[in-house]
Amino acid sequence: MKDAKFRRCHGCDLVVKVATVDKKQNAHCPRCNTQLYRGNRISLNSDLAIAIAALLLFIPSHFFPLVTIQLFGVMIPATLPSGTITLMGEGFPMLGLLILFCSSIVPFLVCGSVVIAHIALRLKLFKLFRNSISTIQHLKGWMMLDVFLVSLAIACFKIQDHADIFIGSGLYGLILLQFVTSLLLTHVSPKRYWRVWQRKHQQHIEAPISKPEHSVHCGHCHFTQQKGSHCIRCSRPIHARKPNSIQKTWSYLITAAIFIIPANILSISILLTNGKRLEDTIFSGVAGLIRTDMYGIAIIIFVASIVVPVAKILGLAYLLLCVQFKRSIFHRQRMSIYVAVKWIGKWSVMDLFVISIMMTLIDRGQILDFTPGLGAVAFGLVVVFTMLAAESFDSRLIWDNYERTEKS
Ligand SMILES: [Zn+2]
Ligand SMILES: [Zn+2]
């Protein structure tokens, strides 16, 4: 394959010489440790097989009951779609949609996009190929089946005092689906798909770059090339840095910081039992768990709903301030903060999932009723906006003054 003799790291924009790496080895950036090349332990066709297997697993995991709950002598089966539809119908359409999006729609779209990318690769359908690869790249961070499964376990643990719970066949399907989709995510590499596309259909494209300083990296297909307005491989506009990254990240971050106040003050869940109304905020929920000796769950919920969102907002604000005040030390540590913020992001949604699952399981009218409070809506917005903030931040900004300090 013809490739540039050097390429730019998409994490820190360092110009790295391309060495021949063993097919099974990974290559990392020497400066920021971002993975530049992933060894291909399995063939591209295996990706396709895994994606098809995942798509088939959507049937049992979504249409068979996950759990059946026995409440006041009545057996109530709950499937994943029925739960989210209940939420939407009870006046929380955004919450229901968020859960359906992260636990069903995104995994389905990502698996479907892998299949479509293979078809487009065979039939040389450029736009279809480009769109399906973009879908995989943009949506994979929103796949939250794992969070959903942990939340389901916590919800069942919390309501076992009120009712008997029986595991349904859908749950086995969902666990298998989680296993297969995470296998797919660790193997599927958009960069690799683009390399194969280039080898098959765009052999004329070379990257004759005279000097490394004149090169630029395409953020869509990760191709290093001569500076220009559009990518010669994927035809998308090229930007040396994400446009308006700092402003966008600040605005998402400030929005999240505003919503975190009602998320913690307003009640996140309301339980009606025998005419009594018990309202819980995130904090009183954790305190309640400690009172009932559920220390493990209390720690998980405390970390996921209080520590993680606050740490994310502070961490990103620190990174932005360092970029703006051109701080010239601790680049590596700051990069680790960014990677951590991106990685832990999705786990903060857990309490929201737990409440929603509990609501769909024990929403039984007058005797026992469970609904999310307005705090839950605010908390959902905090999660979404911190994730958007992390995504709009360009990690290359962290390293911009590294070169300057090195040169001087
Ligand atoms: Zn790097
Ligand atoms: Zn490109």
Side-chain angles (χ1 to χ4, degrees):
M1 189 189 83
K2 284 168 187 161
D3 205 345
K5 285 204 179 69
F6 51 83
R7 81 166 55 141
R8 279 179 181 270
C9 163
H10 55 276
C12 71
D13 217 23
L14 177 73
V15 176
V16 194
K17 268 206 174 139
V18 179
T20 354
V21 195
D22 187 88
K23 268 204 163 172
K24 284 180 183 165
Q25 273 180 330
N26 299 332
H28 293 264
C29 169
R31 186 165 76 175
C32 73
N33 209 28
T34 300
Q35 192 179 64
L36 298 177
Y37 176 82
R38 188 189 287 166
N40 310 322
R41 284 177 189 86
I42 61 168
S43 69
L44 222 52
N45 283 337
S46 313
D47 281 354
L48 179 65
I50 298 172
I52 292 172
L55 286 174
L56 290 175
L57 278 170
F58 268 87
I59 302 165
S61 59
H62 282 71
F63 297 105
F64 296 163
L66 294 176
V67 287
T68 303
I69 173 164
Q70 192 178 19
L71 199 64
F72 311 118
V74 189
M75 300 289 275
I76 311 149
T79 62
L80 206 160
S82 77
T84 47
I85 289 164
T86 316
L87 258 180
M88 289 185 213
E90 299 260 334
F92 293 91
M94 294 313 285
L95 273 185
L97 207 63
L98 181 72
I99 293 168
L100 194 67
F101 181 74
C102 299
S103 56
S104 303
I105 298 174
V106 170
F108 187 79
L109 286 178
V110 170
C111 296
S113 296
V114 172
V115 177
I116 293 170
H118 274 265
I119 296 170
L121 194 61
R122 292 246 161 102
L123 304 178
K124 206 184 170 183
L125 302 167
F126 177 69
K127 280 201 172 145
L128 191 66
F129 178 77
R130 189 173 70 175
N131 291 340
S132 49
I133 297 295
S134 296
T135 310
I136 300 170
Q137 251 172 332
H138 288 115
L139 290 184
K140 65 179 183 186
W142 293 85
M143 276 173 86
M144 299 187 189
L145 263 175
D146 40 4
V147 184
F148 182 83
L149 280 170
V150 174
S151 309
L152 183 65
I154 294 177
C156 288
F157 201 78
K158 279 174 91 171
I159 54 174
Q160 63 182 358
D161 289 345
H162 299 286
D164 293 319
I165 301 154
F166 304 93
I167 291 170
S169 47
L171 186 63
Y172 298 111
L174 200 65
I175 291 169
L176 261 177
L177 180 64
Q178 156 58 17
F179 175 74
V180 173
T181 48
S182 58
L183 190 71
L184 184 69
L185 274 196
T186 50
H187 285 295
V188 103
S189 154
K191 277 176 258 167
R192 186 181 177 197
Y193 276 81
W194 272 112
R195 281 201 301 271
V196 174
W197 173 272
Q198 189 185 348
R199 195 170 60 214
K200 270 188 141 177
H201 305 303
Q202 292 180 322
Q203 281 189 347
H204 57 284
I205 290 183
E206 279 182 60
I209 312 159
S210 45
K211 282 179 184 160
E213 307 90 271
H214 295 159
S215 67
V216 69
H217 180 88
C218 171
H220 303 286
C221 72
H222 298 293
F223 189 54
T224 300
Q225 55 201 280
Q226 191 88 25
K227 268 182 190 161
S229 64
H230 286 76
C231 174
I232 53 169
R233 185 158 77 176
C234 73
S235 318
R236 286 237 165 89
I238 290 196
H239 303 284
R241 297 290 174 273
K242 285 181 191 170
N244 305 322
S245 167
I246 294 182
Q247 291 89 327
K248 271 191 205 162
T249 314
W250 268 126
S251 55
Y252 286 136
L253 211 55
I254 291 168
T255 318
I258 292 171
F259 279 114
I260 208 166
I261 301 165
N264 279 281
I265 295 175
L266 298 177
S267 55
I268 193 161
S269 62
I270 302 158
L271 180 70
L272 289 168
T273 165
N274 298 326
K276 269 192 290 179
R277 187 182 165 93
L278 299 168
E279 291 196 16
D280 260 329
T281 60
I282 297 177
F283 206 79
S284 71
V286 173
L289 285 169
I290 294 173
R291 267 199 306 279
T292 45
D293 290 336
M294 293 191 201
Y295 295 109
I297 297 180
I299 291 168
I300 295 172
I301 298 282
F302 179 76
V303 171
S305 344
I306 296 173
V307 179
V308 170
V310 172
K312 269 180 80 173
I313 291 174
L314 292 180
L316 278 172
Y318 168 70
L319 293 179
L320 283 167
L321 289 173
C322 286
V323 168
Q324 286 184 301
F325 288 101
K326 300 186 171 52
R327 244 177 105 72
S328 53
I329 47 169
F330 299 138
H331 294 87
R332 230 170 210 278
Q333 284 85 338
R334 280 190 265 146
M335 190 67 178
S336 313
I337 292 177
Y338 178 64
V339 173
V341 160
K342 266 195 121 172
W343 186 80
I344 54 169
K346 62 176 185 179
W347 288 95
S348 51
V349 82
M350 198 158 65
D351 202 19
L352 217 52
F353 277 20
V354 172
I355 288 165
S356 312
I357 295 165
M358 282 178 71
M359 179 197 156
T360 57
L361 288 180
I362 60 172
D363 178 30
R364 292 302 133 224
Q366 295 299 311
I367 316 159
L368 193 61
D369 194 5
F370 192 84
T371 55
L374 275 178
V377 179
F379 188 72
L381 291 170
V382 172
V383 173
V384 170
F385 280 110
T386 49
M387 285 191 68
L388 288 174
E391 251 158 59
S392 46
F393 184 73
D394 191 335
S395 65
R396 291 173 291 187
L397 293 169
I398 298 177
W399 299 87
D400 271 352
N401 65 353
Y402 188 82
E403 278 162 27
R404 251 171 267 150
T405 41
E406 243 193 355
K407 275 176 197 160
S408 58

